[in-house]
Amino acid sequence: KQEVTQIPAALSVPEGENLVLNCSFTDSAIYNLQWFRQDPGKGLTSLLLIQSSQREQTSGRLNASLDKSSGRSTLYIAASQPGDSATYLCAVKPGGSEKLVFGKGTKLTVNP
Amino acid sequence: NAGVTQTPKFRVLKTGQSMTLLCAQDMNHEYMYWYRQDPGMGLRLIHYSVGEGTTAKGEVPDGYNVSRLKKQNFLLGLESAAPSQTSVYFCASSYNPGVEQFFGPGTRLTVL
């Protein structure tokens, strides 16, 4: 059974700092991996999708990497801003499955 | 484009009452999903649909029914609500299972 873990559960950093959020998964047979952002009381916003054949994806100040063999993904946020404060969720789509398996998220606080 | 919308945003039910949650998407997506999000549990798939007229069970389908009579709409029904169904419900859609899922803003349901 695929399990997704995100460590740490919460992270607080000063504005301007570069940071890395971690995601690990137990079964390397994945179809893709998706990073989401969730603001309090809101829905999920898709940030980046990495297909199993890809190593990384970039969007603006965000860079996500995927190491399928080791079961790890990282989300790198450059020059963090208070507006980046949110919960970041990692989700994998197991091969042959329709569902996404989600981690429990990392709550990020960027202090001005 | 409105993207994915959900109705209602909030609802309070008494045990045993029934209700239907409506999800609508205007992106012509084939795939639609219903998830629930609970503290400490992450998001879990309830039911999904791979196209108009189709439905399938997800990870936690018991106590819920769904229908997809029109491509743009996906309905989630609770026939006899229980306190264990208190949760935040999210609808999502995607063009196909290999690409990113887009989420609605959620429905916060409380069952007393």
Side-chain angles (χ1 to χ4, degrees), chain A residues 16-93:
Chain A
E17 190 163 299
N18 301 326
L19 60 101
V20 174
L21 305 180
N22 297 297
C23 171
S24 62
F25 47 95
T26 55
D27 189 340
S28 62
I30 65 169
Y31 194 80
N32 60 44
L33 183 145
Q34 196 166 354
W35 282 94
F36 295 89
R37 168 188 173 135
Q38 185 175 27
D39 293 285
K42 304 291 186 183
L44 280 69
T45 301
S46 178
L47 298 174
L48 290 164
L49 175 83
I50 310 177
Q51 300 293 350
S52 62
S53 58
Q54 297 176 322
R55 296 284 293 183
E56 65 177 345
Q57 284 285 339
T58 298
S59 176
R61 295 183 294 110
L62 306 179
N63 176 277
S65 69
L66 175 64
D67 184 341
K68 208 171 62 165
S69 61
S70 68
R72 294 182 185 275
S73 176
T74 61
L75 179 67
Y76 174 82
I77 302 177
S80 59
Q81 304 169 357
D84 294 329
S85 298
T87 296
Y88 290 81
L89 296 165
C90 166
V92 301
K93 181 179 283 290

